[in-house]
């Protein structure tokens, strides 16, 4: 059962990261088109309308989309100054503590993001130029935040299994 869940969580983290990458590439293309349009206004071109709004919303999604994969592959910044002195068991314990901390952080972020989304939805707040409801950007970010929670909880399980007597 653990292997199937590991494969599913790995797939989820990669799929969300790929979606974030696709959005990031689309944002780069849009910004290039907008800058080119600004530079060539005398030739009749125009910048992309609402490019800053689209960039902000897309970046919010992309950032949250990369968090699950980073957690899954243990890619977050770590301090390895004393790692050699703790030994194998000490490092497994540190991994467990770090994964527990990250799971708590992931849950708090997702919870607060959800509350923010509900708040924006209740006030019908929109962007200035494109009049896109802001809660939709929060909902897109929630996809990544939800995956981050799932992956973080799995990483706690993975670290528990690596502990002595954990069944690893």
């Amino acid at each position: 059962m653990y292997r199937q869940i590991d494969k599913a969580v790995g797939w989820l983290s990669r799929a969300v990261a790929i979606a974030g990458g696709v959005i990031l590439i689309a944002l780069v293309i849009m910004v290039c088109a907008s800058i080119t349009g600004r530079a060539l206004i005398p030739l009749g071109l125009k910048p992309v309308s609402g490019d800053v709004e689209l960039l902000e919303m897309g970046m919010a999604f992309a950032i949250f989309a990369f968090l699950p994969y980073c957690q899954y592959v243990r890619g977050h910044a770590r301090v390895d100054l004393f790692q050699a002195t703790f030994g194998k068991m000490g490092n497994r314990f540190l991994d467990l503590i770090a994964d527990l901390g990250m799971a708590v952080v992931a849950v708090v972020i997702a919870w607060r993001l959800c509350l923010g989304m509900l708040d924006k939805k209740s006030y019908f707040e929109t962007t200035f130029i494109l009049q896109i409801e802001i809660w939709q950007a929060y909902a897109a970010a929630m996809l990544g935040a939800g995956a981050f929670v799932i992956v973080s909880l799995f990483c706690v399980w993975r670290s528990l299994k690596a502990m002595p007597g954990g069944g690893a």
Side-chain angles (χ1 to χ4, degrees), residues 20-38 46-49 51-52 54-55 58-59:
V22 168
I23 294 298
L24 204 54
I25 290 169
L27 291 173
V28 168
I29 292 168
M30 181 207 58
V31 167
C32 289
S34 190
I35 291 170
T36 303
R38 280 188 180 87
K46 295 190 294 189
V48 175
S49 181
D51 57 347
V52 173
L54 292 171
L55 184 65
M59 285 301 296

Side-chain angles (χ1 to χ4, degrees), residues 90-151:
N91 284 316
R92 286 182 180 174
F93 181 72
L94 288 175
D95 285 342
L96 176 61
I97 296 300
D99 286 340
L100 279 169
M102 193 60 80
V104 168
V105 167
V107 167
V108 169
I109 287 172
W111 167 51
R112 299 308 300 177
L113 189 61
C114 183
L115 291 178
M117 177 187 69
L118 295 173
D119 188 52
K120 297 294 182 189
K121 188 169 173 53
S122 69
Y123 287 107
F124 303 102
E125 191 173 336
T126 62
T127 61
F128 185 70
I129 296 171
L130 297 176
Q131 297 297 304
I132 297 171
E133 292 189 35
I134 293 178
W135 73 268
Q136 295 171 353
Y138 279 72
M142 277 297 300
L143 295 172
F148 186 36
V149 169
I150 292 167
V151 171

Side-chain angles (χ1 to χ4, degrees), residues 1-3 5-6 96 99 152-162 166:
M1 182 175 94
Y2 175 80
R3 265 192 217 160
I5 294 173
D6 185 19
L96 176 61
D99 286 340
S152 295
L153 293 174
F154 170 77
C155 289
V156 170
W157 184 23
R158 179 175 65 187
S159 290
L160 282 170
K161 283 186 68 65

Side-chain angles (χ1 to χ4, degrees), residues 18-92:
I18 289 169
V22 168
I23 294 298
L24 204 54
I25 290 169
L27 291 173
V28 168
I29 292 168
M30 181 207 58
V31 167
C32 289
S34 190
I35 291 170
T36 303
R38 280 188 180 87
L40 300 176
I41 287 177
L43 299 177
L45 292 178
K46 295 190 294 189
V48 175
S49 181
D51 57 347
V52 173
E53 295 171 353
L54 292 171
L55 184 65
E56 289 171 345
M57 291 186 289
M59 285 301 296
F61 171 74
I63 289 167
F64 279 100
F66 297 137
L67 288 173
Y69 183 73
C70 191
Q71 178 66 13
Y72 183 74
V73 298
R74 297 186 189 273
H76 291 291
R78 51 190 305 158
V79 178
D80 296 340
L81 189 61
F82 301 110
Q83 189 175 16
T85 61
F86 291 135
K88 195 174 187 178
M89 288 303 118
N91 284 316
R92 286 182 180 174

Side-chain angles (χ1 to χ4, degrees), residues 2-14 72 154:
Y2 175 80
R3 265 192 217 160
Q4 287 95 356
I5 294 173
D6 185 19
K7 284 176 91 172
V9 169
W11 180 88
L12 173 68
S13 67
R14 283 187 293 279
Y72 183 74
F154 170 77

